[in-house]
Amino acid sequence: MTPALDPERVFALVVGIESYQVGAGWSLPGPARDAVRFADWLTGQAGVPPSHVHLLLSPLDQTRARTCPSATLENVHRVLFEELPKCDGDLLWIYWAGHGFVDERQQLLLPFTDATTLLTRHLNLQAALRWWRSSNVAGGRFRRLVAVGDTCRIEAKRARKLRFGTIEPEAGDLIHERRQFVLYAARPGQAAQNQAERQAGQFTDTLLKRLDGKAVDESVEGLVGITRAVQADFSIMRARGEAWQEPQFVISEGWEGSTLFGDHWADDVTGTVPDPSDAPVLDPPAWTELGQLLRNRPLPPYSYDAYRWAFEVTGCAVPPGDVLPADDLLDIVRDLDSRQGRHRDRPLTLPFVRHLADRATRRSPDWAAEANAWVDRTRERLGTAPVPAPPERAAESPALHVQLRHDANSRYWTRMWLYQHKFESVWEASQPLDLETVRAALGQQLGARPSCAPTRIEFHVPYDLLEEPFESWHIPWRGNRTKELGCYFDVLLRCPDERDGLSVEPWRRKWSWLRTQGGRHPHAVLDIRDSDVSANLGATLQQAGPPVCVLAEVTEPMIMDTLDAILDGGVPIAIWRRPADFQGEAAEPIRTALAAGTAQLDVQTLPARLRQARIAQRPLALMWDDPGRIPGGRTLTS
């Protein structure tokens, strides 16, 4: 195990910011007091010399704070990048309380007290940690660093008036022997609760209770256990309705955000947690062949699934954020080759390419054969362990597609297809029908095929029928009873006939992005409220691959305007409330109804979640417009 830490060789930067030049609206009572409390623990029970603790405070009430420098850009940079690196220490603590935002790479941006709307001066925590893990810090100093952030992790793009820009200190060469433990008060997208009446952050308060009575050595060696205890405390508080955030910890992030040592923090002399530099990497012949194999090849579907599986199958921690590190296959491979983890038996690139080859077998058999041959040659040459077969693709459940098209008399031409690997026409009305007759015909079709009953019903409808609660339709059941359709089937609404003109291309692009990036991506889902709905919302939604799903947290009068913008923007997936859900006081958040909590919502699980919500009597509607599943002669591919 790691030798006992000498408190005399521990240093700290402790920051608490309550006032910002952005304006009075940013005032945040509590962080300065929290910083003082944390510094008192360091210099008291932890035994760190007071001269080793650099306390920077920007309190709202100067008379209540100790005399110490303010948390400006100049002061923080002077301490963190000039003074502390010159110290001869083993461990550095960084504690920060105040406002916090995350950028598109999930990096935590911490505004300084002299941040303004025109120039939002800030510390990029991940960039600072990379700097401290590099050769910028001399010799064997500071082999351990612990960073604690009692801040929100709200998306920076939502703070539209701020101008963060790019402020990243340049890192040197990676020093593998250095490890870092980063403890966040909340997950990405979450706010950290500040108890203004107590002038205390709920997270710091809970953490200090777990650190109480512990010396610096005991606290550092037991960080994983302490952190998990804090997480358990918050789980209990959330169950009681006393908290909403979920603390998160990450150990030894690599240059691109990988967790190199999983949950392992302390050194292990047995060697069960190897130095990642000892793990096999690709050799020059492998790179030469791979360059030819992947050059100019676009990201294939399910690239993120392959990327994630590469970590899982080699026993490594999956990088946080649920995102691909790049938009180019070769750049992704370079990232994988630098992210070796606990297992020494194979490079991460081999299972990644094996997974891509498996998924390409049907459409690109020649390329798949070349990719599999490359994996086999490389594995034999490097002498690494065999690569297991990728997980089988989930079988697509049979679906009944019901297409409704207007005639001139407010009735509908109706056709039905069964889809399982291909479309099969099963029923067509000889004349236009009213909706009650359509419902009866649907019940007959479902009852006529008990041996191959579909699990999903997809209604292809015109725009105005999005208001029809198809999921509430009652269909014949056992005996003379009827059952709600949405309690026994995944009910999806489709609007492919509205996907025309300039909205076709973004619709295809967004669905392709979803297949490539996976449903867990932090930008896949967007919550929209009444204040977001405008004449330009469709144009805003159309600009990029994400979002691919909109949660319409809007009031009833705004639903159709929101759906209109979603169709204009090419967004393929949307969830909104049925009118029955607007009764009474404030409506339950859609994420709560979906039992998603505050965690990142996996888009792929939405049909099943909607069914569970319907069973729990939460009337939600789901649009799920897959451009690759269009029956009746119109074939669009994603």
Side-chain angles (χ1 to χ4, degrees):
M1 299 296 294
T2 306
L5 270 174
D6 181 355
E8 296 286 337
R9 296 184 59 78
V10 177
F11 293 80
L13 167 64
V14 180
V15 177
I17 307 178
E18 297 179 342
S19 62
Y20 296 82
Q21 290 183 21
V22 169
W26 265 42
S27 295
L28 191 66
R33 179 174 177 270
D34 284 339
V36 170
R37 293 167 65 205
F38 197 85
D40 286 345
W41 171 77
L42 282 171
T43 58
Q45 295 171 344
V48 179
S51 61
H52 289 194
V53 178
H54 297 259
L55 182 61
L56 305 182
L57 298 179
S58 296
L60 288 170
D61 184 357
Q62 290 288 346
T63 63
R64 297 179 56 209
R66 300 176 180 178
T67 302
C68 62
S70 181
T72 62
L73 179 150
E74 180 182 359
N75 288 337
V76 172
H77 275 236
R78 172 178 50 79
V79 173
L80 190 58
F81 300 118
E82 296 178 18
E83 296 181 5
L84 285 171
K86 297 177 183 177
C87 300
D88 187 13
D90 293 326
L91 170 70
L92 174 66
W93 280 88
I94 298 176
Y95 172 89
W96 194 291
H99 286 299
F101 300 86
V102 291
D103 63 12
E104 292 184 353
R105 297 166 59 192
Q106 301 300 308
Q107 298 182 119
L108 183 58
L109 311 181
L110 302 169
F112 301 116
T113 188
D114 51 350
T116 65
T117 53
L118 295 178
L119 181 59
T120 311
R121 298 175 177 88
H122 65 277
L123 177 71
N124 181 323
L125 180 63
Q126 272 61 44
L129 295 176
R130 288 193 291 269
W131 192 94
W132 271 88
R133 281 201 76 207
S134 76
S135 55
N136 291 334
V137 181
R141 297 176 180 175
F142 295 106
R143 295 185 66 251
R144 294 289 182 270
L145 184 151
V146 179
V148 178
D150 192 352
T151 73
C152 300
R153 296 174 77 187
I154 303 300
E155 292 180 350
K157 66 180 181 180
R158 293 189 178 273
R160 298 173 183 174
K161 295 182 179 180
L162 303 183
R163 299 291 182 270
F164 284 98
T166 302
I167 305 175
E168 297 187 9
E170 185 175 351
D173 296 330
L174 172 65
I175 304 298
H176 288 286
E177 291 75 20
R178 290 193 175 116
R179 293 194 193 176
Q180 297 175 339
F181 190 105
V182 188
L183 176 56
Y184 301 100
R187 291 183 177 275
Q190 292 182 343
Q193 187 168 354
N194 187 56
Q195 301 168 318
E197 70 283 355
R198 298 179 56 198
Q199 293 194 354
Q202 189 178 34
F203 170 75
T204 295
D205 203 46
T206 306
L207 175 62
L208 285 175
K209 289 177 183 177
R210 290 294 179 179
L211 290 173
D212 186 41
K214 291 182 173 58
V216 66
D217 187 58
E218 182 184 4
S219 63
V220 172
E221 290 302 315
L223 268 176
V224 172
I226 291 170
T227 298
R228 286 179 172 155
V230 170
Q231 291 173 324
D233 292 338
F234 271 88
S235 295
I236 295 172
M237 288 188 285
R238 287 196 305 275
R240 295 173 178 170
E242 299 170 356
W244 58 68
Q245 68 209 63
E246 299 174 274
Q248 180 185 39
F249 72 99
V250 177
I251 299 176
S252 293
E253 281 192 328
W255 259 212
E256 298 298 331
S258 62
T259 51
L260 298 176
F261 297 97
D263 286 349
H264 293 268
W265 166 239
D267 283 332
D268 191 332
V269 296
T270 65
T272 57
V273 183
D275 184 334
S277 61
D278 292 340
V281 295
L282 299 183
D283 57 6
W287 277 112
T288 300
E289 295 176 0
L290 197 60
Q292 297 172 352
L293 185 68
L294 302 182
R295 184 175 292 113
N296 299 324
R297 187 172 181 82
L299 283 182
Y302 315 114
S303 291
Y304 178 75
D305 292 345
Y307 181 76
R308 186 180 184 89
W309 182 71
F311 288 90
E312 294 172 348
V313 78
T314 53
C316 305
V318 179
D322 295 316
V323 297
L324 286 169
D327 294 326
D328 179 83
L329 281 173
L330 279 173
D331 288 339
I332 294 173
V333 169
R334 292 188 186 97
D335 171 86
L336 286 168
D337 210 41
S338 66
R339 291 181 184 244
Q340 303 302 327
R342 296 176 59 198
H343 286 198
R344 306 184 189 205
D345 57 357
R346 66 178 70 89
L348 284 150
T349 304
L350 298 185
F352 174 70
V353 175
R354 181 77 85 194
H355 193 292
L356 294 183
D358 177 78
R359 296 302 188 259
T361 301
R362 293 179 184 173
R363 292 192 174 185
S364 304
D366 292 341
W367 183 88
E370 292 180 19
N372 277 319
W374 176 86
V375 171
D376 294 336
R377 286 195 305 272
T378 303
R379 186 194 69 76
E380 292 175 3
R381 189 171 60 251
L382 297 179
T384 62
V387 180
E392 294 184 4
R393 280 175 281 199
E396 188 170 356
S397 301
L400 187 65
H401 291 250
V402 182
Q403 182 188 73
L404 303 176
R405 285 180 172 163
H406 276 297
D407 80 334
N409 299 309
S410 299
R411 295 188 170 220
Y412 303 93
W413 293 101
T414 307
R415 295 185 66 184
M416 298 185 194
W417 292 263
L418 189 65
Y419 181 86
Q420 191 168 26
H421 308 305
K422 64 180 181 178
F423 281 104
E424 174 192 355
S425 179
V426 294
W427 188 83
E428 181 174 359
S430 59
Q431 61 184 359
L433 309 176
D434 58 29
L435 290 181
E436 179 58 28
T437 307
V438 173
R439 183 197 61 77
L442 173 61
Q444 291 175 355
Q445 287 300 313
L446 292 174
R449 52 190 77 253
S451 61
C452 56
T455 60
R456 174 180 293 192
I457 314 297
E458 303 194 19
F459 289 91
H460 301 244
V461 300
Y463 172 71
D464 60 290
L465 276 187
L466 290 175
E467 296 184 282
E468 173 67 24
F470 291 98
E471 64 280 354
S472 297
W473 277 11
H474 279 72
I475 57 172
W477 206 253
R478 184 165 54 88
N480 295 321
R481 296 179 300 162
T482 62
K483 295 291 184 181
E484 273 196 13
L485 192 66
C487 291
Y488 291 87
F489 301 91
D490 296 339
V491 177
L492 282 52
L493 304 186
R494 309 283 305 273
C495 233
D497 289 344
E498 298 289 337
R499 311 281 189 172
D500 55 9
L502 297 178
S503 67
V504 172
E505 189 279 330
W507 176 37
R508 293 172 173 174
R509 169 165 44 85
K510 285 177 179 291
W511 192 267
S512 177
W513 184 93
L514 170 63
R515 294 181 68 200
T516 300
Q517 298 286 344
R520 300 181 183 91
H521 195 286
H523 298 155
V525 181
L526 177 66
D527 295 72
I528 288 181
R529 293 168 175 80
D530 282 8
S531 58
D532 299 313
V533 182
S534 68
N536 294 324
L537 177 58
T540 301
L541 294 173
Q542 191 180 113
Q543 293 182 70
V548 295
C549 174
V550 164
L551 303 185
E553 291 282 5
V554 298
T555 56
E556 185 176 0
M558 303 296 290
I559 287 178
M560 296 311 290
D561 287 342
T562 305
L563 293 177
D564 194 47
I566 287 168
L567 291 168
D568 286 347
V571 178
I573 302 169
I575 297 177
W576 65 98
R577 295 183 184 86
R578 288 304 190 189
D581 202 27
F582 288 104
Q583 298 175 0
E585 298 181 356
E588 177 185 47
I590 291 176
R591 289 180 183 268
T592 302
L594 295 175
T598 53
Q600 184 61 43
L601 186 60
D602 186 350
V603 173
Q604 307 290 356
T605 67
L606 289 180
R609 287 180 183 271
L610 259 290
R611 190 196 297 192
Q612 293 302 314
R614 166 57 52 182
I615 293 172
Q617 299 184 338
R618 291 174 169 87
L620 298 174
L622 171 64
M623 179 192 295
W624 185 277
D625 236 343
D626 179 352
R629 294 289 179 268
I630 308 294
R634 185 181 177 191
T635 56
L636 294 175
T637 57
S638 52

